[in-house]
């Protein structure tokens, strides 16, 4: 694996590409309490500043945890394409109706029976404090061929890259 850290706009673009491609993360809260609470969550958006947005219920354990301790960790994995991202961040929760309207879709509707006006809908913004990625330099097929060749010949090959995603 080669090291390639990315900074500023390149970092935001890298984060957007990976998170949008993977979509669902394992969202970890209650980190400081020592009783890690982890649930799968689908992102709504990675904005132009690199913040990751979600919709959730005020009644959920995740929302309650974030209200008590805003430190969170997001774990993204797309095993088939060898793409991974880990994000440590700070979450904030609001009742921003504009964002609820922006993110509303049929999938979200299934979670909130009372529709967009459900009093329990919350918007959660995760501001990235630290992020790290692992991905492949080549397509999945080329990566597979390199791995196969390495297994047969024993020669080492540079199969991927990893690095920090540093957002200002």
């Amino acid at each position: 694996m080669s090291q390639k850290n990315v900074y500023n706009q390149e970092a935001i673009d890298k984060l957007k590409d990976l998170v949008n491609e993977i979509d669902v993360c394992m969202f970890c809260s209650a980190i400081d309490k020592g009783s890690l609470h982890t649930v799968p969550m689908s992102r709504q958006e990675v904005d132009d500043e690199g913040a990751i947005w979600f919709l959730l219920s005020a009644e959920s354990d995740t929302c309650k945890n974030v209200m008590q301790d805003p430190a969170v960790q997001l774990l993204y994995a797309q095993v088939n394409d060898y793409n991974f991202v880990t994000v440590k961040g700070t979450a904030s929760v609001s009742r921003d109706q504009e964002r609820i309207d922006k993110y509303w879709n049929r999938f979200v509707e299934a979670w909130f029976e009372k529709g967009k006006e459900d009093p329990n809908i919350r918007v959660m913004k995760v501001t990235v404090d630290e992020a790290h990625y692992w991905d492949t330099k080549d397509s999945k097929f080329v990566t597979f061929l390199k791995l196969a060749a390495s297994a047969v010949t024993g020669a080492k090959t540079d199969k991927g890259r990893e690095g920090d995603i540093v957002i200002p």
Side-chain angles (χ1 to χ4, degrees):
M1 280 249 158
S2 62
Q3 183 80 22
K4 182 176 187 318
N5 295 336
V6 289
Y7 302 90
N8 303 319
Q9 190 58 49
E10 183 183 7
I12 293 169
D13 293 343
K14 181 74 170 177
L15 184 67
K16 276 186 180 185
D17 289 346
L18 288 167
V19 170
N20 286 337
E21 185 177 319
I22 299 170
D23 181 29
V24 175
C25 70
M26 294 306 294
F27 191 101
C28 307
S29 60
I31 294 170
D32 289 339
K33 289 190 339 187
S35 59
L36 194 63
H37 174 75
T38 305
V39 296
M41 290 188 71
S42 177
R43 62 89 189 106
Q44 298 303 314
E45 174 184 25
V46 180
D47 69 20
D48 291 337
E49 285 78 41
I52 305 170
W53 294 82
F54 300 88
L55 290 179
L56 74 165
S57 171
E59 296 176 328
S60 70
D61 289 337
T62 300
C63 187
K64 292 172 187 173
N65 289 338
V66 166
M67 297 301 289
Q68 291 179 359
D69 174 16
V72 297
Q73 187 160 16
L74 289 59
L75 308 171
Y76 290 89
Q78 190 174 44
V79 178
N80 292 341
D81 291 333
Y82 307 108
N83 292 327
F84 306 90
V85 181
T86 181
V87 173
K88 288 183 182 179
T90 305
S92 59
V93 176
S94 69
R95 174 93 173 110
D96 182 339
Q97 191 62 47
E98 278 186 40
R99 287 214 181 253
I100 292 169
D101 292 342
K102 177 180 180 180
Y103 300 147
W104 193 259
N105 60 51
R106 292 247 182 239
F107 180 75
V108 172
E109 190 174 320
W111 292 96
F112 297 98
E113 295 173 6
K114 296 177 185 172
K116 280 195 272 188
E117 281 67 41
D118 188 319
N120 288 311
I121 298 175
R122 297 293 183 270
V123 177
M124 181 168 50
K125 174 184 179 182
V126 175
T127 302
V128 176
D129 299 326
E130 299 176 29
H132 195 85
Y133 76 95
W134 299 261
D135 69 4
T136 57
K137 291 180 177 180
D138 304 305
S139 70
K140 180 179 168 181
F141 181 69
V142 171
T143 299
F144 174 77
L145 290 177
K146 284 182 178 181
L147 287 170
S150 178
V152 171
T153 66
K156 299 288 183 208
T157 182
D158 187 7
K159 296 165 279 301
R161 62 186 164 215
E162 67 168 305
D164 293 328
I165 297 173
V166 183
I167 296 174

